[in-house]
Amino acid sequence: MIYNTVVDFIFNEHGHLISQWNESLLSSENMQRYADSISSKGAPLGNCFGFINRTVRPICRPKRNQKVVLNGHKRVHSLKFQSVALPNGMVANLYGPVEGKRHDAAMLAKSRLLNDLEEHAFSPTGELMCFYDDPSYPLRIYLQALFRDPPTAEMMAFNRSMRSVRVAVEWLFGDVFNYFKF
């Protein structure tokens, strides 16, 4: 009970720092620093400052309303979360949980993250900044993704280099689930 009370207090007092646009973490200077860091690791996108991903977390089958949480793609009852990872290992934005059946694009729209990007995602020089995402999200100027088929040799090289730096978002989810298994 003490643990839950402390977690509730922390979320109520500081939850806005990860569920809304955090100006101190995502200032234009910091976004440029993150983009430079990602670019220095061999990423061809010079304006990419973070990685967006979603995760599907299995849950026990509920007695009622099973279809609401049934994820047809993974074929499990689940809850979904959406996260934005920065190259420094911080979570810049977290949205969820939502029902397991919800499509990733619908979750992105409901999170209002695209609106925040349109309003705030600019470098100090005014250049548009973007997230790199997996192909389940819609392609937008603020959301870049790997090239889909049929890729040319250049497109395949781009995909390989971006995959190698994008693995950071997978590590972040892995750390969260290892440390907080319950």
Side-chain angles (χ1 to χ4, degrees), residues 21 108-109 111-121 142:
W21 191 266
L108 177 66
S111 74
R112 304 196 43 80
L113 184 60
L114 285 178
N115 297 349
D116 288 339
L117 287 170
E118 289 173 6
E119 188 176 332
H120 301 287
Y142 298 102

Side-chain angles (χ1 to χ4, degrees), residues 95-106:
Y95 182 75
V98 297
E99 310 87 17
K101 74 173 187 173
R102 175 119 17 219
H103 190 274
D104 295 345

Side-chain angles (χ1 to χ4, degrees), residues 6-106:
V6 170
V7 168
D8 285 343
F9 173 78
I10 291 171
F11 182 77
N12 290 335
E13 292 295 315
H14 305 288
H16 66 280
L17 296 175
I18 62 170
S19 61
Q20 297 171 4
W21 191 266
N22 182 341
E23 192 59 45
S24 62
L25 186 63
L26 296 171
S27 67
S28 60
E29 292 80 15
N30 284 343
M31 284 189 286
Q32 185 63 56
R33 195 169 330 165
Y34 303 144
D36 292 343
S37 173
I38 292 169
S39 186
S40 73
K41 299 292 183 193
L45 279 177
N47 65 335
C48 173
F49 70 96
F51 306 97
I52 186 170
N53 198 8
R54 55 95 187 108
T55 188
V56 177
R57 301 308 304 160
I59 61 172
C60 294
R61 187 177 77 185
K63 290 185 179 191
R64 285 180 257 143
N65 300 321
Q66 293 179 22
K67 289 184 180 180
V68 173
V69 293
L70 181 63
N71 183 296
H73 178 69
K74 300 278 185 179
R75 296 187 178 160
V76 295
H77 295 89
S78 62
L79 296 174
K80 282 184 168 184
F81 295 87
Q82 172 183 281
S83 175
V84 173
L86 299 174
N88 63 359
M90 298 289 289
V91 174
N93 188 278
L94 182 66
Y95 182 75
V98 297
E99 310 87 17
K101 74 173 187 173
R102 175 119 17 219
H103 190 274
D104 295 345

Side-chain angles (χ1 to χ4, degrees), residues 147-167:
F147 286 100
R148 295 173 177 98
D149 47 5
T152 64
E154 293 87 13
M155 291 175 175
M156 289 175 65
F158 175 89
N159 289 350
R160 269 192 306 278
S161 61
M162 287 307 293
R163 274 192 194 114
S164 68
V165 293
R166 188 188 175 280
V167 73

